[in-house]
Amino acid sequence: MADILSLAADNLLSPVILSFILGVAAALGRSDLSVPEAAAKGMSIYLLFAIGFKGGASVADHGVDGTLIATIGAGLVLSAGLPLVAFNLLRIMTKMSRVDAAAVAGHYGSISIVTFVAATSVLQGRGISSEGYMVAVAAVMEAPAILSALWLISTGGSDRRMDGTLLREILLNGSIVLLVGAFFIGLATGQDGLASISSFIVAPFTGVLCLFLLDMGLVAGRGLRDVRGSLGYGAVAFGIMMPVIGSLAGLAAALLIGLSTGGSVLLMVLSASASYIAVPAAMRVALPEANPSIYLTLSLGITFPFNLTVGIPLYVTLAQLATGG
Amino acid sequence: MADILSLAADNLLSPVILSFILGVAAALGRSDLSVPEAAAKGMSIYLLFAIGFKGGASVADHGVDGTLIATIGAGLVLSAGLPLVAFNLLRIMTKMSRVDAAAVAGHYGSISIVTFVAATSVLQGRGISSEGYMVAVAAVMEAPAILSALWLISTGGSDRRMDGTLLREILLNGSIVLLVGAFFIGLATGQDGLASISSFIVAPFTGVLCLFLLDMGLVAGRGLRDVRGSLGYGAVAFGIMMPVIGSLAGLAAALLIGLSTGGSVLLMVLSASASYIAVPAAMRVALPEANPSIYLTLSLGITFPFNLTVGIPLYVTLAQLATGG
Amino acid sequence: MADILSLAADNLLSPVILSFILGVAAALGRSDLSVPEAAAKGMSIYLLFAIGFKGGASVADHGVDGTLIATIGAGLVLSAGLPLVAFNLLRIMTKMSRVDAAAVAGHYGSISIVTFVAATSVLQGRGISSEGYMVAVAAVMEAPAILSALWLISTGGSDRRMDGTLLREILLNGSIVLLVGAFFIGLATGQDGLASISSFIVAPFTGVLCLFLLDMGLVAGRGLRDVRGSLGYGAVAFGIMMPVIGSLAGLAAALLIGLSTGGSVLLMVLSASASYIAVPAAMRVALPEANPSIYLTLSLGITFPFNLTVGIPLYVTLAQLATGG
Amino acid sequence: MKTHKAKRVVITIEAIMQKRLTDALESAGVTGYSILDVIGGSGRSGPWTSEGQISRASGMVQVICIIREERLDTLIDAAFDVVDKHIGVVTITDVEVLRAERF
Amino acid sequence: MKTHKAKRVVITIEAIMQKRLTDALESAGVTGYSILDVIGGSGRSGPWTSEGQISRASGMVQVICIIREERLDTLIDAAFDVVDKHIGVVTITDVEVLRAERF
Amino acid sequence: MKTHKAKRVVITIEAIMQKRLTDALESAGVTGYSILDVIGGSGRSGPWTSEGQISRASGMVQVICIIREERLDTLIDAAFDVVDKHIGVVTITDVEVLRAERF
Ligand SMILES: Nc1ncnc2c1ncn2[C@@H]1O[C@H](COP(=O)(O)O)[C@@H](O)[C@H]1O
Ligand SMILES: Nc1ncnc2c1ncn2[C@@H]1O[C@H](COP(=O)(O)O)[C@@H](O)[C@H]1O
Ligand SMILES: Nc1ncnc2c1ncn2[C@@H]1O[C@H](COP(=O)(O)O)[C@@H](O)[C@H]1O
Ligand code: NA
Ligand code: NA
Ligand code: NA
């Protein structure tokens, strides 16, 4: 316990997390500090490219062990399955409509790539290595949760929510394509490729992450400010409980598969985190009647800060205990 | 004298200053070269974050000596007092209306953070160290000058110019919040924090500053081109005299307090420089009848280039003579 | 031949080229991946500044040999002359109108600075050095081709297409001014200047080029998708033949002048590449009746990818054979 | 100079629906439109801004069509199908245009 | 398709005044508006462009409200208080809207 | 509040022609205008978007002038000279403006 607390304190005292907190504080204090949309999108492209490339180069270097297929499979199952857990929990803990609950549930099955990136940077800071292909697992976990959420709704009525256009949009959304594409470029060019661009994608990475999290903090803080009070206590409690439940499911899967300590942490983080890029967009198209401020505030305003500050150190400690790493 | 000239020549021949000159030349030649607004804002966020963080980390490293409080106090007095000097000088040297003169005066009490950044990079190039907390002094000097300017106007009439909203906007404007926030992050995470992001905020810093000053040159040159002739000789002379007067006031304060040579240079630069971010915005809100092209052209078109090219080497030489450094 | 193929394979397997291919694939697959306009423009400013500066610093270091003037002269002749070749080839191989053919011809006389940058990064990867002033040659080759294209049209009719405004726009367009300006800054500040900003303009250069080519791939792919079928076979064949013809003209000039192997490659690349920044803009102003989708698709959709993937390795091999380097 | 009567239709819609809307317009034979970026706003679902956003879900655009009066209904029907269940404001204004041969 | 009469009010105002304007609109009960970025222009104080600007003082925006005719005066009064001493152009156009239930 | 009749002219034109157009407007004595960025669109030459573009050749803008009715023809003539051979849509709408002293 003391360990978790000191880990958490350590984690909180990093420039990355403090930048996020600065952003939240600035937004709550109604400062006009803001990052231009194009700069924020530019940084997100940088982070996705860098994390994908490094994952691919690491697989090219260490090779793929037998657990790759199993982990991908586990990712698919977690992404598709966790929305069912989330949906039922929401129906019990809150008064949300079926549609809102399904939309929120979809977010929690899917993943937040920034939380994943922050976790890799914590692992790196502690010298804990992880399987390079976890980036690919992150990619496959984005979409199934959306299908589960739409299935949850379609069981209630008869209208088709999913069409070919939407399916293509989900599977080929920009962040998946960039992450997977960079992964394959890293895989194809290996350590030579990495060496040629490491002073771009490795050295300044943590610094860019600071500014990006400053921006995420501003957006999250603005969301919290605008809808303060629009989420009930039940929903807020869900936003903290659900990631813990997800992380435990991820840990169970990691133990079954036999992932390394670092890999276990990352699978936990993927399961625990909630999407705020791909899934909100899909929900706006497929479930326009769901209230975006509910799912965006929960995902970005509650669960994302929780994971960043308390969640990641907690998952690291749990994974170390469970894997003996 | 020969010394100052050779220092000035040295300074002029740096990539940073030449980039600024390139920008001015391109704008005067009516080239369509331009930096997108989002890219310029992105660079300014980077520079503020980096300079704030490095200041905080330096204070964490070297500790605070007894002069901190005195220097902050001096900064407040200089920022609040210099507008009175500027206002009277303007009323003597030019035919500006009271409102225009007060608006301009507010700019000269406040500070230009980019001039400050350029000065730190000159000091670093010469191996002159300075107190890390000068960044915090820069932050406290932004706002008092605005209050002085509004006070100058209110003594003339009776209408209230300042309200709670404006005060909050001034004190929590984005650049102050980012600078101070990054300062505290640097203070809290110290040299470890700095090490983790130094390949982002230290190594490429001078290069980013070049591109940023290219943009500042474009904007300043465009301003000069559009209003050529709208400023009288008196105003132009003011734009060159006032920074020198300000720098001498800053030097006097620095000697009283006992700052290092580097710290003295920076306090001189802060006193000598004129705002073009926070103060213009406040003036548009509080003094809409003041002509923005007067204060923007003076601050960005006359004083900023003067400080960048001639002023900084001059202040370095004066500070070295005065402090024996 | 086997050599060329292995070189080409090597070239294709670099992160830079694979990033371009990823972009094309994402666009053809209708992914919504996109780079914000401001971020793309920001990167292009970075690349122009860095390549110009490095060229200037290299000239400051190695001095100028007697071939400088000759190479500049050759660049002017190639830029002005190649449009005549291109125009006649187009009139033979395609059914394009005179105006469209002239507009396209102008693009092929001028240059693509990104192809040039990609070639310098290939040369650097192979340890082949080149004359630093080739950057200046690139700059002088931008404009003459435009004048040739307008001359081709004016021989047909009597209306004046060129006026003072347009000429100034062409000669002082942003990319020329930035390239030439950065070249002179590099020349003036030399290796000291380079050292002070090399962790900005040298170290991360290849990485930025990857993201920039990702964007170019997205734009090129979108162009290909939108006009698929609008170019006949003749035009497509032209888009592949013309760069080879251009490169041979460039090689002949390089041999006459006695350029190094690296310099020969770069002159070949300049002759082989087609503009998609300065020339399209000039054509929209001077020849509004020419169809932009023809010249943009040929230049960016056919010739640019050809040069990037097959052309550059081919030109390297030819230059090595011819110069014995 | 001679001008001609036409209609200016402005459709304010979520950015994620833009492609669906323009596809529907094109299917209905409306191939002339321009798109403006909306950087913020407010409505029944509260205020929003695009500042610092990376989510594709946020953000709106304005699709502007200048169209002959006789083709207005086709356009409106096509747009309505897409806008119906979604956030979206559709306004129609009388305008005069130069160079009617372009429409 | 049935349309309804309404007014389209466009207020061009300095970016720094945007928050004050929208706060005033909201106090007056006007909660529907969209904001466009103005990237340059010219007026009595000469030409300007947002290119390369970092100052919060530069730049303008357009605040666009679609509103029922009977609520127009409330809006205009609220806007006028803010725009009065400041740079700002206010225009009002007749429009037809689809789905009047939204206003 | 009292309003005054005026015209709102919107000229959608290629970004590279913007300077020529505004110079022509200024020569004709029209010094009030605002510029909006057009981020995409479609016309006879097919669809386009400004996403990821670095070419100066792509992209369009909207130049918006609020002008007194009696000065409309001057404006239109000046604009037409520039727009004539170029891509461009010119629309004119009746508007009411506040503070007519500004025009
Ligand atoms: N009356 C209106 N006038 C202008 N824009 C509006 C209006 N109502 C809604 N909008 C725009 O449409 C968005 C969504 O509206 P709503 O669905 O009511 O939340 C708002 O954020 C505005 O950008
Ligand atoms: N007649 C007009 N039509 C359109 N926009 C205008 C007009 N007059 C002023 N503006 C806009 O308002 C800004 C400030 O105008 P002014 O206060 O006259 O300098 C200008 O830069 C334009 O962006
Ligand atoms: N009817 C229209 N309504 C709105 N914008 C149009 C219209 N026609 C053309 N445009 C705009 O003008 C551009 C060029 O049109 P065009 O020359 O027909 O290809 C298009 O891409 C649109 O941005
Ligand atoms: Na999850
Ligand atoms: Na000052
Ligand atoms: Na060429």
Side-chain angles (χ1 to χ4, degrees), chain A residues 139-155:
Chain A
V140 301
M141 286 180 74
E142 279 222 66
I146 303 173
L147 305 183
S148 286
L150 300 186
W151 175 82
L152 279 168
I153 283 302
S154 66
T155 56

Side-chain angles (χ1 to χ4, degrees), chain D residues 12 38 40-48 60 87-89, chain E residues 31-35 64-67 102-103:
Chain D
T12 306
V38 181
S42 179
R44 292 169 309 175
S45 38
W48 64 276
M60 305 195 77
I87 291 176
V89 186
Chain E
T31 53
Y33 55 84
S34 290
I35 298 172
I64 300 176
C65 303
I66 316 299
I67 197 166
R102 288 184 52 101
F103 298 94

Side-chain angles (χ1 to χ4, degrees), chain A residues 82 107-111 141 270-274:
Chain A
L82 285 172
H107 288 70
Y108 282 82
S110 187
I111 60 123
M141 286 180 74
L270 290 173
S271 307
S273 67

Side-chain angles (χ1 to χ4, degrees), chain B:
Chain B
M1 192 62 207
D3 246 36
I4 301 186
L5 285 181
S6 102
L7 262 174
D10 247 42
N11 185 45
L12 283 173
L13 263 180
S14 73
V16 166
I17 305 298
L18 291 175
S19 297
F20 178 76
I21 293 171
L22 173 59
V24 172
L28 291 180
R30 295 181 180 269
S31 164
D32 69 345
L33 181 58
S34 76
V35 175
E37 190 181 1
K41 287 190 175 161
M43 288 192 285
S44 78
I45 289 170
Y46 167 85
L47 293 173
L48 287 168
F49 182 80
I51 196 89
F53 195 103
K54 286 187 279 190
S58 147
V59 170
D61 203 31
H62 297 111
V64 182
D65 57 41
T67 58
L68 167 65
I69 303 292
T71 317
I72 297 256
L76 290 171
V77 171
L78 286 163
S79 174
L82 286 171
L84 311 185
V85 180
F87 182 76
N88 287 305
L89 215 55
L90 284 164
R91 299 292 283 171
I92 297 168
M93 296 176 66
T94 71
K95 293 181 179 160
M96 269 180 216
S97 68
R98 282 187 68 85
V99 168
D100 282 335
V104 171
H107 288 71
Y108 282 82
S110 186
I111 60 125
S112 148
I113 196 74
V114 184
T115 314
F116 178 82
V117 166
T120 60
S121 113
V122 169
L123 289 180
Q124 192 188 310
R126 307 245 167 99
I128 306 175
S129 69
S130 58
E131 288 80 2
Y133 58 70
M134 290 309 294
V135 163
V137 178
V140 301
M141 287 180 73
E142 280 221 63
I146 303 173
L147 304 183
S148 285
L150 299 186
W151 175 82
L152 280 168
I153 283 302
S154 66
T155 57
S158 66
D159 52 344
R160 284 187 68 237
R161 301 298 190 141
M162 176 60 81
D163 58 18
T165 311
L166 179 56
L167 192 64
R168 207 204 50 239
E169 278 178 12
I170 293 170
L171 296 178
L172 292 185
N173 87 63
S175 54
I176 293 190
V177 167
L178 185 51
L179 192 65
V180 173
F183 179 84
F184 280 110
I185 297 178
L187 192 61
T189 63
Q191 292 299 312
D192 283 357
L194 186 61
S196 73
I197 60 173
S198 76
S199 33
F200 179 63
I201 66 172
V202 179
F205 188 82
T206 314
V208 177
L209 188 58
C210 286
L211 286 192
F212 187 70
L213 283 176
L214 173 73
D215 175 57
M216 298 288 299
L218 289 166
V219 174
R222 214 156 51 207
L224 283 177
R225 204 184 63 199
D226 284 344
V227 301
R228 224 179 312 197
S230 90
L231 291 183
Y233 291 110
V236 173
F238 169 85
I240 290 171
M241 268 178 62
M242 187 63 212
V244 177
I245 296 174
S247 77
L248 294 177
L251 179 58
L255 291 175
L256 269 177
I257 299 168
L259 286 180
S260 69
T261 308
S264 303
V265 171
L266 293 181
L267 191 59
M268 291 173 79
V269 166
L270 290 173
S271 306
S273 67
S275 170
Y276 52 78
I277 303 187
V279 183
M283 291 304 155
R284 288 291 274 264
V285 174
L287 301 181
E289 64 276 41
N291 183 345
S293 68
I294 295 180
Y295 49 73
L296 282 175
T297 310
L298 263 179
S299 160
L300 194 55
I302 309 288
T303 300
F304 179 66
F306 169 77
N307 277 329
L308 217 51
T309 54
V310 179
I312 293 176
L314 175 68
Y315 310 149
V316 171
T317 312
L318 290 178
Q320 283 177 324
L321 290 176
T323 64

